[in-house]
Amino acid sequence: MDARNRFSDTVREEMQRQIIGADGNEVFFSGMINETGIVISVTAAARGDEHSVPVNYAEARKGSVLIHNHPSGNLHPSGADLQIAADCAENAQGFFIVNNDVSEVYVVMEPIKPVVIRKLDEEGAAHYLSATGPLAKSSPTYEERPVQLELIKKIARSFNKNAVGVFEAGTGVGKSFAYLVPSMLWALENKERVVVSTGTINLQQQLVEKDIPLAQKIIGKPLKAVLVKGRQNYVCLRRLDDAGKERDLFSEDQEMFDKIASWAKETKTGSRTDLAFMPTESVWSRVNSEADACMGMRCKFREKCFVMRVRKEAADANLLVVNHHLLFADIESRLSGVGYDDTAVLPPYRRLVFDEAHGIEDAATSFFSENLHRFKINKQLNLLFRMRKSSMAGYLFTIAALATQEDHTAEAQEEISQIKNAFAELEDAATEMMENDFTVRLFAMNAARFGGVFAALSKVQQHIAKLTGLMREMIETIPEDDLDNAVVWETKSVLRRLDDMTAICKNFREWDEHPDSVYWIQRQRLSPAIAKNYDTPFFIQLFQTPLDIAPLMNNGVFEPMETVVCTSATLGIDGNFNFWKRRTGVGFVESERLLDGEFPSPFPYKKNLLLAIPNDAPFSNEEHFQLFVEDAVVRLVQAAGGRTLVLFTSYDSLRHACDTARTRLRLSGITILKQGDDERFRLLNAFKDDTSSVLFATDSFWEGVDVPGDSLSQVIIVKLPFGVPSDPVFAARSEQIQKRGGNPFMELSVPEAVIKFRQGFGRLIRRGDDRGTVICLDRRIMEKMYGRMFLNSIPDCKKMYAPLNDILGAVGEFI
């Protein structure tokens, strides 16, 4: 081949010069190619004789193509050349042989051409949502939002600059389209997959069913977007078939199992959400797909596998929509050795968008936490061996039947019994140690109290190790032809899960060797239906929780990804994002790679929202505060004619206030709804449908509640949402701050409370024409120095600090 088709003239001249300088002997070059495959630069890295030249591996690693000359003019590769070429293939490098005057070239291995990044036109991306763009032309009532156009340009710039973007976008800015449009354009222009991770199912569904189809119409280009759910959401046909052969597992749930089996024959997706009923966790967990029980290509149902089908769809997609939990499962797999260039839980990607990014720390903390309790361990033990009336069943008997050596069935049964007894001893020891507490953190000051717990943990660990050892001894003697038996795979999965449980036991006992984790025990109440089967209404859970997820997030997300965009309506505190950045790992990102910005809501808060605080309320730690709350809530609800969301930080306070309201408002025509009386989805629908209703709620209802219009005209925030000081993780993180000389209250308690307060405040105004009042019954917001951080972190609005009676009149007038 004519070398001019592969080398620039400058490179050919340089190579000729180097070969002449080596007296016509072989010279080894490392070269770089451009996007068309032409070698545009070379480095002479080694010189040899007329028959061979050594490879300079240090320089070789830098090049996209390795080149050497054959002085004989015979350009066909030798055996040694072919070996080097094979190594090049492994490293995605090319391998060329040239003659001495570099007029001819023999291409042994083609190089991988460098990817040419096509940067987005930031103004062009914003044009799609402008007053003269395609969306405006298709909708006569469309109104351009200048703040949205600024946001879309910033997000496009994050893609262009391989940046980490942190953008707070207030309600009504239109952040979903602001990140979807540049994400789609980037994916199509550069053939790079973009992943969008959200915190809630509701947002996932909105994106896939509504926003993404509309965004595709806006940009006018076809694009494949796939919603990816965790594999546990799909039925496994192999496990379903196996379970059908062991119907004793289901006892009173056999009817439900039969319904799932019938549905599995008809469903096109295999997704749990497509069931017409909600299966119990005990039934679904026996038939759903699980990574460690998957037989892969050995499975006889692989051609019909729902998970495989979704994976194939995801592999071809430009845009993937996932939740934070699934994303962290993928990140964990990549950090554990899969790397970032191959498929893990998700196909490979380097561009990531976090929506609802305020929840990243909680989501990561939850995912990377481990826990252990009796039901978790018994579930695995019962798969190995269980008694049903007078019959025995379980994988143990199949393994024993397949094994060709000594039968350990009796010993294994005994160890299973010993594990259950040891765990009962653990619960007794933990209950005695905890006395009247419901949560106890293990730390230096109280470690001496855990002696009985450690001893019981040791017994649990020892007996699990004996059981898994016996089972593995039997498995090792199973003939190779029988190793593909589904029961063998399921048993290996059980043993791996039991190994994980022994690791928790070991870590708990060696807690002081793991300063990056928080160890704690919780006593939790059983549901009445389950409690009737036990002597005590409580059970014990052991937890191992990351103390700080920031380093993990930096190593797993911000450092290896090319672009990470983080958006939420509530990231900042008092005008900056420092707290959120520090807690999530963004604080590790180099400043030159970081873009951020605040994009305020376009809604008229100054005109449409009144924030009122009664100045005659007792302080929240005073004796009569609860009585004041119960009276004030009733009177405020009456003033608004219902239409109120009441947010609490304590379920006991909620319960008492709700009972009072039900008594005093029973003849008012106002419907009282309480969290816990029904499922969240049905409660919210009832609240939306009844414009004279009031919803008493706590915790999860501070965010994710979207009730525009007349059904919600008043939000009552009973107390500033400070974390509970006795919460083990909160306490450990406070202690960490104190050890380095910081102020835990100002560096952790207040910032966390401000963000949650902003979430609760944001429940009221969901549309431009929404109007109403937010009443905060906690006057610390006005009278404590830190109160200004709460007030400075919400949109500018009307404010009133007056006696409750005056506020009641103002509520009636304002609404």
Side-chain angles (χ1 to χ4, degrees):
M1 179 188 295
D2 190 331
R4 288 175 297 183
N5 296 330
R6 291 287 182 160
F7 298 90
S8 69
D9 290 342
T10 304
V11 165
R12 289 177 61 240
E13 290 170 6
E14 171 63 13
M15 291 177 69
Q16 289 167 357
R17 191 177 68 79
Q18 291 290 344
I19 292 169
I20 291 170
D23 298 325
N25 289 309
E26 289 196 15
V27 180
F28 168 75
F29 299 92
S30 174
M32 299 299 296
I33 62 172
N34 63 15
E35 65 271 15
T36 64
I38 300 296
V39 180
I40 55 173
S41 68
V42 290
T43 299
R47 295 161 185 83
D49 57 27
E50 60 181 319
H51 301 296
S52 62
V53 64
V55 175
N56 182 332
Y57 284 101
E59 284 296 331
R61 281 191 289 270
K62 302 175 185 177
S64 48
V65 60
L66 307 186
I67 312 155
H68 75 292
N69 58 305
H70 278 187
S72 67
N74 179 359
L75 303 189
H76 289 95
S78 65
D81 290 336
L82 291 175
Q83 181 58 54
I84 298 297
D87 293 340
C88 287
E90 290 289 323
N91 298 320
Q93 293 173 308
F95 188 66
F96 296 174
I97 302 172
V98 297
N99 58 2
N100 274 20
D101 62 4
V102 199
S103 60
E104 295 291 327
V105 60
Y106 186 88
V107 177
V108 184
M109 184 67 63
E110 287 285 358
I112 302 298
K113 294 177 183 177
V115 175
V116 179
I117 295 298
R118 293 178 172 82
K119 293 189 175 183
L120 299 179
D121 177 348
E122 295 170 18
E123 294 291 340
H127 172 72
Y128 285 103
L129 300 178
S130 70
T132 58
L135 181 57
K137 290 176 180 176
S138 65
S139 174
T141 59
Y142 179 74
E143 292 184 12
E144 177 184 284
R145 288 176 257 189
V147 69
Q148 184 185 46
L149 302 188
E150 291 306 308
L151 175 58
I152 197 172
K153 285 188 277 189
K154 268 291 188 79
I155 292 175
R157 194 172 307 158
S158 299
F159 279 95
N160 287 341
K161 292 183 174 293
N162 291 343
V164 173
V166 178
F167 307 120
E168 181 175 284
T171 307
V173 168
K175 62 181 170 63
S176 295
F177 287 104
Y179 66 68
L180 282 176
V181 168
S183 294
M184 290 177 165
L185 293 173
W186 184 273
L188 292 170
E189 285 292 324
N190 292 291
K191 305 294 186 290
E192 285 191 349
R193 187 178 293 107
V194 178
V195 173
V196 176
S197 181
T198 76
T200 63
I201 294 173
N202 287 345
L203 182 53
Q204 283 179 280
Q205 291 175 333
Q206 177 184 317
L207 286 172
V208 172
E209 296 171 10
K210 180 182 174 184
D211 293 349
I212 289 174
L214 180 53
Q216 281 186 269
K217 289 182 181 177
I218 293 170
I219 66 173
K221 299 174 183 177
L223 170 139
K224 185 173 182 179
V226 173
L227 170 62
V228 184
K229 295 180 283 189
R231 67 186 304 149
Q232 70 276 7
N233 290 286
Y234 297 93
V235 68
C236 172
L237 296 175
R238 194 267 303 164
R239 299 189 80 212
L240 181 68
D241 183 64
D242 291 344
K245 299 168 185 173
E246 295 186 330
R247 290 170 60 83
D248 68 294
L249 270 175
F250 301 97
S251 56
E252 65 273 10
D253 293 322
Q254 284 185 6
E255 183 180 349
M256 185 176 293
F257 170 77
D258 291 338
K259 286 183 178 178
I260 293 174
S262 297
W263 163 81
K265 296 175 183 176
E266 306 294 332
T267 178
K268 293 181 179 179
T269 67
S271 173
R272 182 178 185 173
T273 55
D274 289 347
L275 279 164
F277 60 95
M278 182 61 69
T280 62
E281 189 59 33
S282 60
V283 173
W284 184 253
S285 65
R286 184 64 187 86
V287 300
N288 68 335
S289 178
E290 293 185 339
D292 58 0
C294 179
M295 295 181 67
M297 295 307 294
R298 294 182 176 88
C299 181
K300 64 180 179 180
F301 294 96
R302 63 183 180 276
E303 297 299 328
K304 299 178 181 178
C305 178
F306 297 112
V307 172
M308 291 293 186
R309 195 177 300 168
V310 171
R311 283 197 160 192
K312 288 177 183 175
E313 289 292 306
D316 295 334
N318 308 101
L319 191 71
L320 300 181
V321 179
V322 304
N323 63 25
H324 294 338
H325 189 276
L326 184 65
L327 179 80
F328 291 134
D330 180 77
I331 296 300
E332 180 184 49
S333 181
R334 297 186 186 283
L335 286 172
S336 299
V338 173
Y340 287 79
D341 296 323
D342 297 311
T343 295
V345 176
L346 300 172
Y349 57 96
R350 294 284 183 162
R351 313 281 172 177
L352 174 63
V353 176
F354 279 111
D355 200 345
E356 298 175 319
H358 63 274
I360 288 177
E361 183 184 14
D362 285 346
T365 299
S366 173
F367 178 82
F368 290 104
S369 294
E370 302 286 349
N371 69 71
L372 181 61
H373 53 79
R374 88 167 77 128
F375 301 105
K376 187 173 184 177
I377 200 166
N378 286 349
K379 176 184 173 182
Q380 302 308 316
L381 297 177
N382 291 340
L383 290 172
L384 295 177
F385 171 74
R386 60 193 174 277
M387 294 284 294
R388 284 284 189 270
K389 298 178 181 176
S390 59
S391 63
M392 296 184 293
Y395 302 150
L396 172 60
F397 299 104
T398 303
I399 296 298
L402 293 172
T404 58
Q405 299 294 325
E406 186 175 354
D407 184 353
H408 292 307
T409 304
E411 296 165 78
Q413 288 179 40
E414 175 61 23
E415 288 304 328
I416 288 171
S417 177
Q418 290 292 348
I419 293 168
K420 291 181 178 180
N421 291 338
F423 207 90
E425 291 178 25
L426 171 61
E427 291 201 279
D428 290 341
T431 300
E432 182 180 346
M433 180 274 298
M434 296 176 78
E435 297 178 345
N436 296 322
D437 294 325
F438 276 81
T439 59
V440 175
R441 176 170 69 100
L442 169 59
F443 64 114
M445 297 293 289
N446 70 355
R449 292 170 51 191
F450 280 76
V453 172
F454 292 153
L457 278 168
S458 180
K459 286 182 70 174
V460 172
Q461 184 181 341
Q462 289 171 16
H463 286 298
I464 292 178
K466 287 181 182 178
L467 172 63
T468 56
L470 291 169
M471 296 299 298
R472 287 188 170 112
E473 281 183 27
M474 289 194 285
I475 290 172
E476 285 172 5
T477 70
I478 293 175
E480 190 171 344
D481 290 347
D482 291 325
L483 288 177
D484 283 346
N485 186 299
V487 171
V488 176
W489 281 79
E490 290 284 353
T491 302
K492 287 180 178 179
S493 298
V494 170
L495 299 182
R496 281 192 291 269
R497 292 175 200 137
L498 290 172
D499 288 341
D500 291 340
M501 294 176 196
T502 62
I504 297 174
C505 295
K506 181 175 185 292
N507 291 346
F508 224 93
R509 291 170 51 234
E510 299 172 354
W511 64 275
D512 53 348
E513 297 179 17
H514 304 280
D516 53 351
S517 292
V518 184
Y519 293 91
W520 51 291
I521 298 179
Q522 181 179 59
R523 177 165 48 198
Q524 194 160 330
R525 185 177 294 275
L526 293 163
S527 67
I530 296 175
K532 66 183 180 182
N533 300 316
Y534 294 92
D535 296 333
T536 172
F538 299 101
F539 71 102
I540 297 296
Q541 288 196 82
L542 285 75
F543 290 90
Q544 176 183 342
T545 300
L547 178 62
D548 183 3
I549 60 97
L552 186 150
M553 287 291 294
N554 182 55
N555 294 335
V557 177
F558 299 114
E559 198 172 87
M561 295 294 161
E562 299 285 353
T563 297
V564 184
V565 173
C566 305
T567 71
S568 171
T570 52
L571 295 178
I573 296 163
D574 201 6
N576 68 75
F577 306 140
N578 295 339
F579 172 74
W580 182 86
K581 289 177 182 178
R582 189 169 61 248
R583 299 301 308 171
T584 58
V586 177
F588 289 109
V589 177
E590 305 90 340
S591 58
E592 58 270 18
R593 193 182 165 224
L594 190 62
L595 295 175
D596 59 24
E598 185 177 355
F599 300 86
S601 170
F603 293 161
Y605 284 86
K606 189 75 175 175
K607 173 185 172 187
N608 286 0
L609 190 145
L610 169 66
L611 171 64
I613 303 99
N615 63 10
D616 53 353
F619 280 111
S620 58
N621 62 345
E622 292 180 352
E623 182 180 355
H624 302 297
F625 180 71
Q626 179 63 29
L627 292 176
F628 175 83
V629 167
E630 293 173 19
D631 177 63
V633 166
V634 169
R635 296 168 69 190
L636 286 163
V637 167
Q638 287 174 318
R643 301 187 287 173
T644 300
L645 172 64
V646 193
L647 295 172
F648 293 81
T649 59
S650 157
Y651 192 79
D652 280 343
S653 175
L654 179 155
R655 184 165 48 81
H656 289 303
C658 187
D659 289 344
T660 299
R662 280 178 168 157
T663 300
R664 289 175 56 180
L665 297 175
R666 65 185 183 280
L667 302 178
S668 66
I670 294 173
T671 305
I672 307 293
L673 304 170
K674 178 167 72 73
Q675 180 180 347
D677 287 349
D678 205 342
E679 290 182 354
R680 175 190 170 98
F681 178 75
R682 282 201 285 265
L683 268 180
L684 284 176
N685 278 345
F687 182 54
K688 290 176 184 177
D689 293 342
D690 186 345
T691 55
S692 63
S693 64
V694 55
L695 174 58
F696 287 71
T698 184
D699 204 22
S700 63
F701 282 77
W702 283 72
E703 60 179 286
V705 174
D706 191 6
V707 185
D710 294 337
S711 292
L712 179 55
S713 297
Q714 179 172 245
V715 172
I716 301 175
I717 295 175
V718 172
K719 284 177 70 173
L720 297 179
F722 285 104
V724 181
S726 60
D727 175 82
V729 179
F730 182 87
R733 289 173 175 170
S734 297
E735 187 178 282
Q736 183 188 39
I737 293 170
Q738 199 160 19
K739 282 180 179 176
R740 62 168 171 75
N743 182 334
F745 183 71
M746 293 305 296
E747 293 181 39
L748 183 64
S749 298
V750 172
E752 282 191 351
V754 170
I755 287 179
K756 191 162 186 177
F757 179 82
R758 294 188 66 194
Q759 287 285 333
F761 181 92
R763 296 312 95 211
L764 183 64
I765 303 294
R766 309 304 298 172
R767 293 191 317 213
D769 58 352
D770 279 346
R771 180 179 175 85
T773 59
V774 174
I775 314 296
C776 178
L777 301 181
D778 190 340
R779 63 190 177 99
R780 288 179 295 176
I781 198 171
M782 297 298 294
E783 300 201 9
K784 298 294 183 181
M785 288 291 291
Y786 57 76
R788 64 171 182 79
M789 295 178 67
F790 290 83
L791 297 175
N792 292 346
S793 300
I794 58 176
D796 190 21
C797 60
K798 296 178 185 292
K799 295 182 180 69
M800 183 177 185
Y801 188 47
L804 178 62
N805 284 337
D806 293 351
I807 290 172
L808 291 168
V811 167
E813 285 182 25
F814 196 79
I815 294 178

